[in-house]
């Protein structure tokens, strides 16, 4: 049983039949409702609908308005997908923006042994998770003109991660002059997907 409703995108048959990875997309607050169509407005599903080929099963859950992403509930969605399809459990990726950026870091912090790599855009995290997050390849990005979520939110978690292992698995990008919404463009770049998909779990011994 999955604890969030979700959109699911399956890759081509040839990829689906050869143990594909799973990419979880976590949306921001503006898409929180009970209408799954909203989840197509920006992000990974939006890009797929515009023609991007993503060589993974993409699952995009939706959180209720006013709620934060809960790691256990995200895990229930992942488990549902992994039970339903034969996937590569060494390749589980997460990408989220804003509220979804927080969700991404909370999920990776709760399940560092499950998440292969993650991208968190204009969010933040719990600094107590710093040492768990330090073990996961993370690409944290924030605009320095963000008025909705101040860049200090990302800076705090970056500092907590670096205090653990110097940030050896961390990539941190500051987008100069970018406001909160501007980071949506990251989903339109090949770079984000290429960065995520280069990792497999065995890299992390």
């Amino acid at each position: 049983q999955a604890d969030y409703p979700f959109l699911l995108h399956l890759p081509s048959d040839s990829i689906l039949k050869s143990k594909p990875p799973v990419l979880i997309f976590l949306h921001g607050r503006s898409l929180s409702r009970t209408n799954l169509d909203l989840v197509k407005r920006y992000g990974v599903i939006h890009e797929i609908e515009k023609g991007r080929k993503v060589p993974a099963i993409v699952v995009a859950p939706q959180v209720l308005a006013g709620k934060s992403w809960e790691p256990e509930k995200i895990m229930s969605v992942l488990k549902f997908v992994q039970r339903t399809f034969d996937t590569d459990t060494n390749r589980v990726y997460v990408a989220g923006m804003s509220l979804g950026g927080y969700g991404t870091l909370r999920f990776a912090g709760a399940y560092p042994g499950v998440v292969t790599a993650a991208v968190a855009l204009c969010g933040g995290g719990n600094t107590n998770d710093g040492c768990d997050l330090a073990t996961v390849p993370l690409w944290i990005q924030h605009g320095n003109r963000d008025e909705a979520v101040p860049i200090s939110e990302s800076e705090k978690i970056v500092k907590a991660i670096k205090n653990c292992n110097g940030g050896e698995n961390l990539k941190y990008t500051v987008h100069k002059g970018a406001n909160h919404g501007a980071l949506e463009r990251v989903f339109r770049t090949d770079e984000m997907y290429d960065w995520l998909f280069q990792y497999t779990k065995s890299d992390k011994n």
Side-chain angles (χ1 to χ4, degrees):
Q1 179 61 31
D3 294 334
Y4 289 126
F6 59 86
L7 294 175
L8 189 68
H9 170 80
L10 300 179
S12 65
D13 262 5
S14 58
I15 294 172
L16 193 57
K17 287 181 175 132
S18 49
K19 287 178 86 78
V22 176
L23 171 58
I24 303 166
F25 166 61
L26 301 179
H27 65 73
R29 181 157 278 134
S30 64
L31 307 188
S32 307
R33 298 278 190 290
T34 52
N35 172 6
L36 274 169
D37 274 346
L38 285 174
V39 181
K40 301 175 184 176
R41 278 203 183 156
Y42 70 77
V44 181
I45 297 288
H46 180 71
E47 295 309 307
I48 288 169
E49 293 211 324
K50 286 193 336 199
R52 175 175 289 279
K53 299 276 186 275
V54 177
I57 293 174
V58 178
V59 59
Q62 186 176 42
V63 69
L64 288 170
K67 298 285 189 191
S68 293
W69 288 106
E70 296 176 49
E72 302 75 26
K73 291 186 173 181
I74 299 168
M75 178 54 92
S76 76
V77 174
L78 174 62
K79 289 268 188 238
F80 180 86
V81 172
Q82 289 175 331
R83 280 197 309 272
T84 308
F85 302 97
D86 185 19
T87 68
D88 186 348
T89 53
N90 287 315
R91 300 182 72 208
V92 174
Y93 309 104
V94 193
M97 178 168 166
S98 191
L99 182 72
Y102 283 93
T104 296
L105 293 175
R106 284 186 68 189
F107 185 64
Y111 301 105
V114 171
V115 176
T116 308
V119 173
L121 307 177
C122 55
N126 183 340
T127 52
N128 294 335
D129 290 340
C131 290
D132 288 317
L133 289 169
T135 66
V136 181
L138 290 179
W139 190 0
I140 294 174
Q141 305 187 43
H142 218 114
N144 67 346
R145 294 279 178 86
D146 193 324
E147 285 158 11
V149 178
I151 193 170
S152 56
E153 285 292 283
S154 280
E155 286 170 346
K156 277 189 294 202
I157 198 76
V158 163
K159 184 169 178 233
I161 291 167
K162 285 185 171 172
N163 284 345
C164 261
N165 65 354
E168 63 180 46
N169 296 309
L170 176 69
K171 181 173 179 175
Y172 177 47
T173 302
V174 175
H175 293 265
K176 297 278 195 296
N179 66 11
H180 191 66
L183 267 71
E184 185 270 331
R185 64 176 181 242
V186 174
F187 294 112
R188 298 182 223 156
T189 65
D190 293 342
E191 199 181 359
M192 184 191 94
Y193 303 93
D194 292 346
W195 183 86
L196 282 169
F197 293 148
Q198 73 181 313
Y199 292 102
T200 63
K201 210 61 185 165
S202 56
D203 291 347
K204 294 173 49 185
N205 300 334

